[in-house]
Structures are given as C-alpha cells and as structure tokens.
Amino acid sequence: MRHFLNLADADADAIAAMLADALDRKKARKDWPKGKVDEDSPLADHVLAMVFEKSSTRTRVSFDMAMRQLGGSAIVLDSSNTQLGRGETIADTARVLSRMADAIMLRTDDHEKAQTMSNHADVPVINGLTDLSHPCQIVADLLTIIEHGKALPGLQIAWLGDGNNVLNSIVEAAGLFKSDVRIGVPPGYEPDQGFCDAARSKGATIRLTHDAVEAVQGADVVVTDTWVSMGQADSKAKLAAMAPYQVNEALMAHAKDDALFLHCLPAHRGEEVTDAVIDSKASAVWDEAENRIHAQKSVLRWVFGQI
Ligand code: CP
Ligand code: NVA
C-alpha cells in the first residue's frame, strides 16, 4: 500500500519519475479542453474521496480535475457537512471510505490525523496539506522549476517569511535532490527541526538566517507564503516580525537575474509579496497553480503503483 503523507514516502527516483510523467502528460494534452480524458485513461473506474477539514481552492479543483483527466472521478467531503465534523473518528472514517472509494485525500490540521487515516485505511491516503507539510504542492513547485529550465541538484532556493508547512516540504525536497535552501525567517518562526536534520543528513544544505538579503543573495528561486497559515492566530506581533521578509523588488534584486518567484497561493498582496513581484516576469505562480493538476495526476498514478 502506497500512502503519500510526505515526499519521503517516495524516494528521489520515484519523485523524478512522477515529474517526468507529469511533463509528458502535460505536453500530450496541450490545448485540449481541460475536462477531456487522457488517451490511456489510466484511472478509469477509480474514485477519489477528498476530505477537507480546512478551506481550499487549488487542491480541491486540481485533484478533481486530475481524477477527471485520468478517467476517474472524485467526491468532495467538507468536514462541516460530514459525520467527521460531528465526532465520528478518523479511524472509522478511514474504514468506511476504504470500502467506498479507491483512494483518500485528506486536508487537515494535525499531521497525526493523516497518519491515523493511513493506519486505518485499506486504500492509499494522500496528504492534501497538514499543519506539518504540503507535499503535493511541492511536487507542483518542482515541476514548475524544471519547466523553467532549472536543475534541482545544487539549486539555490531562498525562502522568506514564516517557517511553515510549505517550507517543511521544500526542505524535504532539498534532501531528496541535494538542493541548497537558505531560509530567511524571524527568530521563533523556524521550520521543523526534524525535517531540517533529515534533509542535511541526505546531503542538502539548509541554512537559516534572520537576514532577508542574505537568504536571497544569488538565489535561483525565491519562495514565500502567507505569514498566517490556516488555523494560526493572526497576531499583530507576528505580522510586525514578518515585515522585513516581504518579497519586494528591492529584495528580488539580490537574487540571480533569471531568478523565479514562486508562491503556493493564496497570496496576501502587500504583505508577504508585493504586486510588483507577483505580477513580474520573474513570477511563475500561475504556471505553479496549473501544475497542481499535472503534479497531482502523477501523485495519484504513483499511489496506484502506475509509476
Ligand atoms: N496552494 C494550495 O494548496 O491552495 P489551496 O489552499 O487553495 O488548496
Ligand atoms: N501555509 C498555508 C498554505 C496554504 C496553501 C496554510 O497552511 O494555510
């Protein structure tokens, strides 16, 4: 049984194969209507149950479109409208959904819940974001980086702002592909220590700094995300601490001339990123958002043993 709770559930070769598959499939359906099924219809007759305990636009639509394009279908369960929201356990929900669907995607708060879901499911479970990590997003980010002609080994990635779930998965990816991540965060907002240690032990360079310019200096890719993730307290103190890490034109000027800007979205324009950067030529955020579909298709094919 293959679950995809973190990138490390697959090895570097498997992630590289997912990326190659995503690129091929994306190319093969260029200019097709978005709902048209891929010629080989590899997930025909398969149904994905998607459980959302937090809001979503991209994850929800990209997984639904991914299943359609692979010839299958998806069912969305918002926890507020399900028995999960009234106290049915994750374990029992996992048992029931395993009898009714071929795979489960879960977006939730505590990563332990995703773990529990996978422990009790008889079908693959995919992490559609937890407070700890967001691996599906990072498959799309890697795809976007490669499509823009950059190689992953030795790639210099700068992260600015909050040391959150998205950063943890970037750090994990750096461990798989031996990239270099320079993290510019205020004191107290560092990423998960376990993810950093694991990536370093695999040969990645993970450097933390409180100096935004130092983080961005010479970067190939500059990445940021909301300063306040879903479920976090929106405190004035946190916003003030984050202010020096805003990605604006002055900061981008310290990255390489051909540096890419990435953001998983939704963006808070004027907070973590300015309009001038997110709407600039360097910004690949719309490719990145579209790539959620192509990346999720490969994740789905991988959990079903097709990659
Ligand atoms: N990037 C991302 O996961 O977006 P959603 O919250 O809209 O799914
Ligand atoms: N870090 C953000 C990502 C949203 C896609 C959050 O968890 O809210």
Side-chain angles (χ1 to χ4, degrees):
M1 178 70 60
R2 285 183 177 173
H3 301 298
F4 191 69
L5 300 189
N6 277 315
L7 291 171
D9 290 340
D11 60 15
D13 287 347
I15 302 278
M18 286 183 217
L19 295 171
D21 179 68
L23 283 172
D24 286 349
R25 283 186 177 272
K26 182 175 178 180
K27 212 179 289 167
R29 57 174 300 119
K30 192 173 170 338
D31 299 328
W32 285 15
K34 294 179 179 66
K36 188 169 167 177
V37 179
D38 286 355
E39 252 152 26
D40 55 347
S41 197
L43 290 186
D45 308 325
H46 288 64
V47 176
L48 173 72
M50 301 197 277
V51 181
F52 286 97
E53 294 203 290
K54 288 184 175 189
S55 305
S56 169
T57 298
R58 279 143 289 266
T59 303
R60 179 175 177 147
V61 177
S62 63
F63 267 104
D64 194 333
M65 291 306 297
M67 285 304 292
R68 290 178 199 215
Q69 292 185 5
L70 294 171
S73 60
I75 298 170
V76 176
L77 297 96
D78 284 314
S79 67
S80 54
N81 303 326
T82 61
Q83 300 293 6
L84 195 57
R86 294 183 59 251
E88 186 168 13
T89 67
I90 291 268
D92 286 353
T93 304
R95 293 179 180 109
V96 171
L97 292 181
S98 296
R99 298 290 184 102
M100 296 185 172
D102 300 292
I104 302 166
M105 193 233 63
L106 171 67
R107 169 168 284 198
T108 189
D109 40 25
D110 189 350
H111 192 80
E112 281 292 312
K113 289 190 188 174
Q115 215 93 51
T116 304
M117 183 73 93
S118 68
N119 289 342
H120 296 277
D122 296 325
V123 297
V125 174
I126 297 170
N127 171 7
L129 179 147
T130 65
D131 289 348
L132 184 70
S133 60
H134 196 2
C136 292
Q137 176 67 52
I138 302 313
V139 181
D141 289 11
L142 298 177
L143 186 60
T144 309
I145 291 167
I146 292 170
E147 265 188 331
H148 281 79
K150 297 182 189 299
L152 301 176
L155 186 80
Q156 197 176 311
I157 303 167
W159 174 275
L160 279 305
D162 190 24
N164 66 14
N165 44 6
V166 175
L167 174 58
N168 289 336
S169 292
I170 288 179
V171 167
E172 211 181 16
L176 292 175
F177 294 104
K178 322 242 177 303
S179 310
D180 173 343
V181 190
R182 238 185 265 169
I183 299 166
V185 290
Y189 295 100
E190 291 81 8
D192 183 85
Q193 187 66 45
F195 277 68
C196 292
D197 292 345
R200 287 188 184 113
S201 74
K202 289 179 177 170
T205 307
I206 309 293
R207 278 178 282 188
L208 273 87
T209 172
H210 301 314
D211 180 343
V213 171
E214 190 187 330
V216 170
Q217 200 72 53
D220 298 296
V221 182
V222 178
V223 197
T224 191
D225 185 14
T226 179
W227 289 339
V228 184
S229 285
M230 291 181 278
Q232 289 181 345
D234 188 355
S235 79
K236 275 196 179 146
K238 183 171 186 185
L239 297 187
M242 293 290 159
Y245 302 87
Q246 181 190 65
V247 181
N248 51 38
E249 286 173 295
L251 193 60
M252 280 300 284
H254 295 278
K256 287 206 178 107
D257 288 344
D258 67 345
L260 278 187
F261 172 73
L262 295 182
H263 189 311
C264 65
L265 305 177
H268 301 76
R269 290 165 175 261
E271 290 190 12
E272 74 273 6
V273 62
T274 58
D275 287 339
V277 170
I278 198 169
D279 296 328
S280 71
K281 267 201 189 148
S283 173
V285 299
W286 314 122
D287 292 338
E288 184 184 7
E290 179 192 333
N291 279 339
R292 291 296 302 277
I293 297 181
H294 308 294
Q296 265 60 126
K297 286 166 76 174
S298 292
V299 169
L300 285 160
R301 275 170 42 75
W302 181 78
V303 297
F304 284 114
Q306 296 182 350
I307 292 176

